[in-house]
């Protein structure tokens, strides 16, 4: 998946404001932020979306959440933040590399649009 933009960011081949990286996941600021804090947390290995996750991905999927907690604390939004995963084009997915949106720093409405 050489052409995948998130794979290129993970490998350091495309520019991004990376806030965290380990052997399993990478977190970086969204290019088009929808909140004062908008960070994307992605697996380093290419997985297109939730529809492609397998039982062996469970450790990595857990890591996405522990890193979300860590980034939310570091960015001072841990009082309240939203985690979003869009899966499939009708749900708003536009980059087909699994990612958790971490949004914070403003109030959020429910139901979402
Ligand atoms: P989704 O619509 O859920 O697939 O989310 C994709 C997100 O990736 C959007 O919020 C985009 O703004 C963001 N995005 C796309 N390209 C880049 C990039 N090169 N660097 C950072 N964020 C990006």
């Amino acid at each position: 998946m050489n052409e995948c933009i998130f794979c290129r960011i993970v490998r350091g081949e495309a520019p991004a404001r990376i806030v965290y990286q380990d052997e399993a996941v990478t977190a970086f600021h969204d290019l088009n932020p929808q909140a004062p804090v908008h960070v994307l947390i992605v697996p380093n290995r290419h997985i297109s979306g939730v529809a492609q996750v397998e039982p062996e991905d469970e450790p990595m999927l857990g890591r996405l959440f522990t890193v979300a907690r860590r980034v939310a604390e570091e960015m001072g939004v841990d009082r309240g933040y939203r985690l979003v995963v869009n899966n499939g084009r009708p749900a708003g997915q536009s980059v087909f590399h699994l990612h958790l949106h971490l949004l914070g720093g403003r109030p959020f409405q429910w139901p979402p649009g």
Side-chain angles (χ1 to χ4, degrees):
M1 269 291 171
N2 288 343
E3 67 287 2
C4 169
I5 182 61
F6 288 178
C7 285
R8 296 184 62 224
I9 288 172
V10 166
R11 292 197 300 264
E13 295 169 6
R17 292 165 58 210
I18 291 179
V19 297
Y20 177 89
Q21 187 164 43
D22 63 25
E23 80 289 355
V25 306
T26 301
F28 52 90
H29 289 278
D30 196 292
L31 204 55
N32 182 25
Q34 301 302 311
V37 171
H38 188 171
V39 169
L40 302 174
I41 307 160
V42 314
N44 293 343
R45 189 171 69 78
H46 185 86
I47 299 176
S48 303
V50 175
Q52 284 74 37
V53 299
E54 300 289 352
E56 57 265 32
D57 297 319
E58 287 170 8
M60 174 279 293
L61 294 169
R63 185 74 62 85
L64 294 178
F65 278 84
T66 54
V67 170
R69 175 192 171 171
R70 174 189 173 132
V71 171
E73 289 173 357
E74 286 175 359
M75 301 216 162
V77 298
D78 47 313
R79 223 182 119 252
Y81 53 91
R82 182 167 286 182
L83 299 175
V84 173
V85 180
N86 297 321
N87 190 68
R89 233 176 265 284
Q93 186 175 6
S94 61
V95 176
F96 289 84
H97 180 130
L98 179 67
H99 50 283
L100 197 55
H101 293 259
L102 164 59
L103 298 141
R106 66 167 172 83
F108 295 96
Q109 309 301 315
W110 195 263

